[in-house]
Amino acid sequence: MPRSDQRRRGEAYVRGLLGTQGRKSIRNIAALIGGQAAEQSLHHFISSSTWDWIPVRRALAHYLARVSPPHAWVVRPMVIPKAGDNSVGVDRRFCPAVGQVLNAQEAVGVWAASAGHSTPVNWRLHLSDAWLQDALRRGQASIPDSVRPETLGECTVEAYTGMMRDWGLPLRPLVLDARDMDAPAALLRLRACGVPAMARISHSLRLTVSGPAVPGRGAEALPAHQILGAARDLRRPVMWRDHGPSRVVRTALTAAVRVGLPALRTAAVPGPARRRELLLLGVGENGRRWPAELWLTDMVNVPPAALVRLAKLLDRVDRDFTEISDEVGIRDFAGRSFSGWHRHVTLASAAHAVAALTGRPEEGLRLGYVS
């Protein structure tokens, strides 16, 4: 942040996110650090100030890459339920996690993830056409002219590629849950950018078998679960360490089949990227439904055990979102402005990093990690 007063308020805000009990609203944060005058100051700092959140996120990402190198970058959607319709991007959305339509914002976060912990470092707010084509609402929320309509898959890819294009971060595999988007299109866009990627896919995604591993299969596209069902005899056990507090070693069953994509239903992708083989990986447990999870990756020569460890980083991120991000108020911003939302989630990401690296928020404050 370019000015000393901005840095002071930024520190105060992060301390408030770490130390405030309950909802992390600006009013509650101000009550902890200085009362009504602090509330007005913090409101301006988040909603109307001039500081740019991108350099803050870039600095956070580089810090984490240095002190806790990520094994992968993980992209995770975030749904933020809202009671009203004034907050930027609020719309009626289907939330797969609860199986119902909610009044909510939706965003995509990019996380630096390792076996020990994970931290969000970049965010992209997914805005519907209803918002972007409404000049009045767009103006009231101060949405920049550069923000254009995009699908959730395009939002996901851009959240990652935009960060990697400009920030000078180390290339690591990208792990994402693509069950609710056009997974082939997302993977092909990432491949065209030279990004090794691994996507969790829906059981119904149709693929073509490109190798002899599944006997009796022709050239027609088949649902992914049917392909792995036919490859049941190829299953082999792999071991991985649970990312929870117990850190116990667990065993999974995996099978992998080389596959190709049927004709694309989306925008054109360069021919070489479109024609290369992919690996369909099934993951499950002995005695349970097979396959429990389906993954599609272009890392065709990586051993299945290593792929399973990468896939389980999605569980690491889900756990840290619930246990840390929600606790420091990542979804608690109540303002209506585009820039205010971005500044809030940026500083909440910094607060998450403090909590993740020190074990708990109050310990991060005591050790002086917020400075």
Side-chain angles (χ1 to χ4, degrees):
M1 296 180 185
R3 300 202 319 250
S4 60
D5 63 309
Q6 292 172 336
R7 294 193 290 274
R8 285 195 304 271
R9 292 189 182 102
E11 178 180 345
Y13 198 82
V14 174
R15 286 183 179 275
L17 293 170
L18 290 164
T20 300
Q21 299 299 309
R23 186 174 178 81
K24 308 305 189 293
S25 65
I26 289 178
R27 175 168 295 179
N28 289 342
I29 292 172
L32 179 71
I33 64 174
Q36 186 173 2
E39 182 179 350
Q40 295 173 346
S41 175
L42 288 179
H43 187 275
H44 177 270
F45 171 72
I46 293 296
S47 297
S48 308
S49 187
T50 58
W51 64 275
D52 184 356
W53 53 87
I54 295 298
V56 181
R57 295 179 186 177
R58 183 170 59 234
L60 174 61
H62 276 279
Y63 179 79
L64 291 166
R66 186 172 68 253
V67 304
S68 180
H71 298 160
W73 303 104
V74 176
V75 180
R76 183 193 191 279
M78 176 174 70
V79 175
I80 310 169
K82 292 287 182 179
D85 58 2
N86 290 326
S87 296
V88 60
V90 166
D91 214 332
R92 300 292 292 172
R93 303 175 183 273
F94 177 73
C95 180
V98 297
Q100 64 184 49
V101 176
L102 300 176
N103 198 57
Q105 296 167 306
E106 186 167 26
V108 172
V110 183
W111 295 61
S114 64
H117 48 73
S118 59
T119 296
V121 296
N122 194 35
W123 293 96
R124 191 172 182 89
L125 190 61
H126 185 229
L127 299 172
S128 67
D129 290 350
W131 267 89
L132 295 178
Q133 294 172 6
D134 187 327
L136 177 61
R137 296 175 85 190
R138 186 167 186 149
Q140 289 173 336
S142 300
I143 300 172
D145 292 339
S146 59
V147 178
R148 312 309 304 166
E150 58 188 2
T151 66
L152 181 60
E154 290 166 343
C155 181
T156 297
V157 171
E158 186 57 32
Y160 171 79
T161 57
M163 175 183 89
M164 297 300 292
R165 198 165 45 233
D166 303 325
W167 293 9
L169 292 166
L171 182 66
R172 296 288 186 271
L174 178 67
V175 180
L176 67 155
D177 190 336
R179 286 175 294 177
D180 298 315
M181 64 183 74
D182 188 340
L187 279 172
L188 290 174
R189 287 191 184 95
L190 291 166
R191 178 186 286 178
C193 297
V195 177
M198 184 172 182
R200 188 173 182 182
I201 61 171
S202 70
H203 282 53
S204 61
L205 180 66
R206 301 182 74 86
L207 301 164
T208 58
V209 178
S210 59
V214 182
R217 295 300 172 187
E220 77 276 14
L222 299 170
H225 75 91
Q226 188 174 332
I227 295 173
L228 263 300
R232 179 184 297 271
D233 291 343
L234 300 177
R235 293 180 298 174
R236 297 292 182 270
V238 299
M239 291 188 296
W240 56 279
R241 191 174 296 276
D242 183 25
H243 296 322
S246 63
R247 302 286 289 145
V248 299
V249 175
R250 299 187 182 277
T251 302
L253 293 175
T254 67
V257 177
R258 295 203 177 202
V259 296
L261 295 172
L264 278 182
R265 299 158 292 168
T266 55
V269 176
R274 186 170 59 247
R275 289 191 295 269
R276 282 172 49 192
E277 280 186 329
L278 297 169
L279 193 70
L280 175 62
L281 181 76
V283 182
E285 295 183 19
N286 197 21
R288 298 195 177 183
R289 178 175 65 98
W290 169 262
E293 298 177 12
L294 286 168
W295 294 82
L296 193 61
T297 179
D298 58 1
M299 295 181 282
V300 295
N301 295 317
V302 174
L307 292 175
V308 170
R309 286 193 290 270
L310 284 175
K312 294 303 177 181
L313 290 176
L314 197 60
D315 295 338
R316 167 85 270 174
V317 168
D318 284 345
R319 183 178 292 110
D320 287 349
F321 178 85
T322 300
E323 296 180 358
I324 303 177
S325 276
D326 259 347
E327 289 299 310
V328 300
I330 197 82
R331 296 194 284 186
D332 286 355
F333 181 66
R336 67 170 58 189
S337 76
F338 179 88
S339 59
W341 183 88
H342 274 283
R343 293 191 181 104
H344 170 82
V345 296
T346 299
L347 296 180
S349 297
H352 177 115
V354 172
L357 293 173
T358 59
R360 60 185 190 275
E362 62 271 19
E363 185 70 4
L365 288 172
R366 186 181 69 80
L367 294 176
Y369 271 70
V370 184
S371 63

